[in-house]
Amino acid sequence: MTDNILTIENLKVEFGGVSVLDIPSFCIKEKEFISLIGPNGSGKSTLLLALSRLLKQVGGRLFFRSEEIASRADALRYRRRVSMVFQEPLLFDTTVYRNVASGLKIRGLGSHEIRERVTRYLACFNIEHLAHRSARKLSGGESQRASLARAFAMEPEVIFLDEPFSALDPPTRHALTDDLEKIVRETGITTLMVTHDQSEALRMSDRIAVMQDGRIVQSGTPLAVMNNPVNEFVANFVGMDTILEGKVLKNGQGFVTVAVFDKEIDALGTAETGDCLYCCIRPENVTIELTDPDDLTSARNVFPAVIRDIFSVGPFLKVVLDCGFNLTSFVTREAFAVLDLKEGMNVFASFKATAVHLIPCRK
């Protein structure tokens, strides 16, 4: 007995004869929270629309609880069991209460159950005090809360979220993310969300799927995708700021030494001498020190470096180093102040062999 709630086989969508979506296979498990990430135009929203049966496909099959959605009648029954929330709230010109109740009335629920559900989900999203306010008088965050309450009030088995927070300011976004995560976990509703915010994806997801040119190029746990990207595209997209091309000089005992320009990088892994590899290093795994730590660190890679650029990135400072190759490090503001780092300074950069993710070059 499978625990997949949705299964895709050879799903294809075209616009004007041009392929925009081509998914050979993909499964979504019961109660799973999946984030779809990828650049603009990669097919994330198209996939949601196809899965919700709001967009016509030119090929492929969709199964809901192992039953194929083949006919119009199948699609209608299926759509009654799923909900979708868009980036724009798309509220009716009436009160918040009536907006949240609208789908329930269409389904023919009784007045008592409608009142009970609307009250419950208004409270879940902290907008019960707005019940009788006109939707036209809501802020952006309030409107999106009403839209989410309307979708969850339907108590769907699957909910699709198409960048529901992208138009919100950071404080509103963070507060709404907190509430959404709590409600999804409490209800156990299977969720598929499109987001450009990798911190949201890391925090909320059981699995992340990375899309490129209408295809899912990698799917896995957040840590697996962030730390073990399958190719250079994914590595770039998930924040592997340092991606260095080199050739294997030697190997043995589970380690390889890769020549990058005139430097050597030690990495955990296996490869044949002469193989071309990308060495990918996350900035948070690079340490900066003022003196040579060679005898004091377990890191196998230590390089003298010059600070070329410094940028502010949220709670961190991004420091770009010239080690004979470009290397990026994230430094906390406290460490930055203690080290008194400045552009042009001579420092030492280090990272462990285990911090280097190796990807074969495909040319």
Side-chain angles (χ1 to χ4, degrees), residues 165-214:
F165 313 129
S166 62
L168 306 178
D169 60 81
T172 301
R173 183 177 188 137
H174 294 154
L176 189 46
T177 301
D178 288 343
D179 291 340
L180 176 65
E181 182 179 24
K182 180 181 178 183
I183 293 163
V184 168
R185 298 307 178 195
E186 286 179 352
T187 60
I189 295 174
T190 304
T191 304
L192 191 63
M193 180 176 74
V194 170
T195 180
H196 278 98
D197 190 319
Q198 291 184 19
S199 63
E200 284 178 359
L202 280 168
R203 169 184 167 180
M204 301 177 71
S205 307
D206 301 307
R207 187 156 48 115
I208 290 176
V210 185
M211 295 195 67
Q212 178 188 17
D213 298 331

Side-chain angles (χ1 to χ4, degrees), residues 72-90:
R72 288 187 178 182
D74 293 337
L76 180 59
R77 286 192 294 271
Y78 166 67
R79 282 199 294 265
R80 289 178 176 272
R81 300 167 76 176
V82 303
S83 289
M84 185 159 181
V85 177
F86 297 92
Q87 182 177 336
E88 294 296 326
L90 302 176

Side-chain angles (χ1 to χ4, degrees), residues 277-292:
L277 298 175
Y278 290 114
C279 297
C280 306
I281 307 154
R282 296 195 68 85
E284 57 266 33
N285 292 329
V286 177
T287 301
I288 296 176
E289 298 186 59
L290 300 181
T291 57
D292 189 345

Side-chain angles (χ1 to χ4, degrees), residues 30 58 60 66 206 209 247 286 360:
E30 184 91 32
V58 296
S66 301
D206 301 307
K247 286 191 175 181
V286 177

Side-chain angles (χ1 to χ4, degrees), residues 245-277:
E245 183 178 339
K247 286 191 175 181
V248 177
L249 288 179
K250 55 185 178 180
N251 57 48
Q253 298 181 330
F255 290 89
V256 297
T257 300
V258 183
V260 176
F261 297 103
D262 62 344
K263 307 294 183 180
E264 295 181 4
I265 293 176
D266 288 334
L268 186 68
T270 57
E272 297 297 323
T273 301
D275 284 356
C276 181
L277 298 175

Side-chain angles (χ1 to χ4, degrees), residues 229-363:
V230 295
N231 58 31
E232 187 185 8
F233 166 81
V234 177
N236 266 306
F237 193 79
V238 300
M240 290 277 192
D241 280 19
T242 300
I243 302 176
L244 305 167
E245 183 178 339
K247 286 191 175 181
V248 177
L249 288 179
K250 55 185 178 180
N251 57 48
Q253 298 181 330
F255 290 89
V256 297
T257 300
V258 183
V260 176
F261 297 103
D262 62 344
K263 307 294 183 180
E264 295 181 4
I265 293 176
D266 288 334
L268 186 68
T270 57
E272 297 297 323
T273 301
D275 284 356
C276 181
L277 298 175
Y278 290 114
C279 297
C280 306
I281 307 154
R282 296 195 68 85
E284 57 266 33
N285 292 329
V286 177
T287 301
I288 296 176
E289 298 186 59
L290 300 181
T291 57
D292 189 345
D294 200 30
D295 296 330
L296 304 173
T297 179
S298 61
R300 295 178 65 139
N301 299 287
V302 180
F303 301 97
V306 178
I307 297 177
R308 292 303 184 202
D309 290 293
I310 299 171
F311 305 96
S312 179
V313 182
F316 299 100
L317 288 158
K318 180 178 178 178
V319 181
V320 181
L321 304 157
D322 181 356
C323 305
F325 54 81
N326 286 334
L327 181 67
T328 301
S329 174
F330 279 167
V331 180
T332 65
R333 294 184 181 276
E334 180 182 6
F336 184 84
V338 170
L339 294 171
D340 193 24
L341 300 179
K342 296 180 176 63
E343 291 181 10
M345 278 184 67
N346 292 303
V347 294
F348 288 86
S350 64
F351 51 90
K352 294 183 178 182
T354 54
V356 183
H357 175 62
L358 300 174
I359 300 175
C361 297
R362 294 183 176 89
K363 294 187 176 180

